[in-house]
Amino acid sequence: MKVIALDLDGTLVKTGVLEIAPSDREAIGDAVRAGTRVILASARTPAQIRQFQAELGLDGPAIGNNGSLVELAEGVELLHRRIEAECARRIVSAL
């Protein structure tokens, strides 16, 4: 199986534009029809990614939070890497 992982912000969703261009939608549709699995990745949450998946007719994993959270299906986590408490405290102190 072929897989394409596509970034949203700054790639599919251009800066200042909140929708995916028709040419990109068409290319994604062509890839899906050719049997390629298309996965969306973003700094956004998986819930936000799922909105774009629905618009594009995609399903499957959502790679969110800059790769630290991967959901197979809505709410079903495959991977969730959290910042350790001590590291979080150091970050907050530095800020």
Side-chain angles (χ1 to χ4, degrees):
M1 174 189 296
K2 293 181 181 179
V3 177
I4 298 172
L6 299 171
D7 177 57
L8 283 174
D9 296 305
T11 305
L12 286 179
V13 179
K14 306 298 187 250
T15 303
V17 179
L18 296 177
E19 58 187 41
I20 297 172
S23 58
D24 290 336
R25 289 176 182 274
E26 184 177 340
I28 290 167
D30 290 346
V32 170
R33 285 186 290 281
T36 301
R37 182 72 176 250
V38 178
I39 298 171
L40 299 180
S42 178
R44 296 172 185 242
T45 66
Q48 292 170 313
I49 294 168
R50 297 227 180 270
Q51 293 172 346
F52 287 99
Q53 284 180 317
E55 286 180 30
L56 295 166
L58 302 174
D59 60 6
I63 302 171
N65 299 11
N66 283 325
S68 69
L69 178 56
V70 179
E71 284 185 359
L72 293 178
E74 195 165 336
V76 178
E77 291 180 1
L78 173 66
L79 169 81
H80 193 171
R81 296 224 167 119
R82 294 170 175 86
I83 296 173
E84 297 293 328
E86 179 54 33
C87 181
R89 280 191 283 280
R90 290 185 5 233
I91 291 169
V92 170
S93 292
L95 296 174

